[in-house]
Amino acid sequence: MNFPVLEIFGPTVQGEGMVIGRKTCFIRLAACDYQCVWCDSKFTWDGSVKPDVMTIPMIIDAVNQLHEDQVDHVTISGGNPALYKGLDQLVLALNDAGYQTAIETQGSHWNEGLKLIDEVTISPKPPSSGMNTDFKVLDQMIAELDGRNVSLKVVVFDRMDLLYAEIIHQRYQHVPMFVQAGNDQTLEADEANTSLHLLKRYAVLVDEVMRSTVLKNVRVLPQMHALLWGNRRGV
């Protein structure tokens, strides 16, 4: 089984969602079925970076070489890593190598391998992305993962996105919910400017969520990695 791998990096901290702050290594796979207008990882699907085709043993070896027994956790990222039929085999191999696993997917494509992952973040995309949510598929995913360690994360850029987050929260009230301030300056090279800008956006989002009568049992997050390192890749 081969996978198109764009980058394997770490140890670092997870900057988003349910495992924010978790010490982890990343495996970033190419390809996505979405093309969000504000995507901060367009290189995963726009063809600007050519992936390396790697077997599962090659991936495990590359992760092992990143550290000296310093990490027991791996995040599988993208793109949309749920697109790959061999995801279950990759996860089982990571487990055999001693790693816990996490993944983020937009909830547009069901994959049985998701049931093997320790922490699943489903991040349906709001209106500002330019994408449309297939609620039939999303409903199926939430049902299939019932009882698993799963959460929802909605990135918010504007008022319509906040209303979308309220719809998601009301539809899946039993699923832990994270609301995150979106990064609208993905081309900014100055890390300090990016951090200051995102902190201001985070403060605005906190205020808006506090006023919401719907978003009660939710957690409001920044993009922690962007606060630390701006738009730098591989951290």
Side-chain angles (χ1 to χ4, degrees):
M1 178 62 64
N2 296 330
F3 291 86
V5 179
L6 286 165
E7 54 184 356
I8 298 176
F9 63 93
T12 185
V13 291
Q14 171 60 257
E16 306 183 40
M18 67 189 296
V19 286
I20 189 169
R22 178 69 157 93
K23 187 178 182 182
T24 190
C25 288
F26 277 85
I27 301 168
R28 188 183 297 279
L29 303 179
C32 192
D33 50 333
Y34 275 17
Q35 295 184 359
C36 299
V37 297
W38 38 248
C39 179
D40 61 1
S41 303
K42 289 183 179 180
F43 65 94
T44 62
W45 50 263
D46 68 3
S48 61
V49 178
K50 184 178 180 180
D52 293 322
V53 178
M54 301 178 68
T55 64
I56 291 176
M58 291 169 64
I59 294 173
I60 301 299
D61 185 58
V63 173
N64 288 338
Q65 290 185 30
L66 287 176
H67 64 95
E68 297 179 358
D69 197 30
Q70 298 163 326
V71 180
D72 63 357
H73 189 273
V74 171
T75 300
I76 304 170
S77 185
N80 184 4
L83 295 175
Y84 294 97
K85 292 181 179 179
L87 179 64
D88 56 342
Q89 297 177 45
L90 175 58
V91 173
L92 289 172
L94 287 165
N95 291 160
D96 289 343
Y99 296 105
Q100 297 175 20
T101 53
I103 197 169
E104 180 174 322
T105 176
Q106 57 262 46
S108 59
H109 185 85
W110 171 246
N111 190 311
E112 286 290 329
L114 295 173
K115 292 182 178 180
L116 302 175
I117 294 174
D118 297 297
E119 296 141 343
V120 178
T121 297
I122 300 176
S123 182
K125 304 310 178 187
S128 65
S129 69
M131 300 293 104
N132 296 315
T133 300
D134 186 334
F135 279 99
K136 183 177 179 180
V137 175
L138 187 55
D139 287 347
Q140 177 202 2
M141 292 189 71
I142 296 295
E144 290 280 359
L145 293 169
D146 187 43
R148 306 287 304 176
N149 191 9
V150 60
S151 67
L152 287 157
K153 184 193 77 177
V154 175
V155 179
V156 174
F157 285 82
D158 55 33
R159 181 63 186 169
M160 290 300 296
D161 288 356
L162 192 68
L163 294 174
Y164 175 86
E166 292 183 343
I167 291 170
I168 294 293
H169 187 47
Q170 288 178 310
R171 191 179 185 103
Y172 310 108
Q173 294 184 33
H174 64 291
V175 182
M177 175 82 167
F178 295 83
V179 183
Q180 180 177 293
N183 181 1
D184 61 350
Q185 291 193 351
T186 57
L187 299 180
E188 173 62 60
D190 188 296
E191 295 176 6
N193 285 344
T194 301
S195 180
L196 180 60
H197 176 74
L198 293 181
L199 278 173
K200 291 178 180 178
R201 287 182 58 81
Y202 178 49
V204 170
L205 179 60
V206 168
D207 288 342
E208 290 177 340
V209 172
M210 295 310 106
R211 289 193 295 269
S212 172
T213 59
V214 175
L215 296 171
K216 296 177 181 177
N217 186 17
V218 300
R219 294 168 176 83
V220 192
L221 299 180
Q223 268 192 324
M224 189 172 70
H225 59 287
L227 295 181
L228 292 171
W229 301 298
N231 295 309
R232 201 192 321 173
R233 276 179 51 190
V235 291

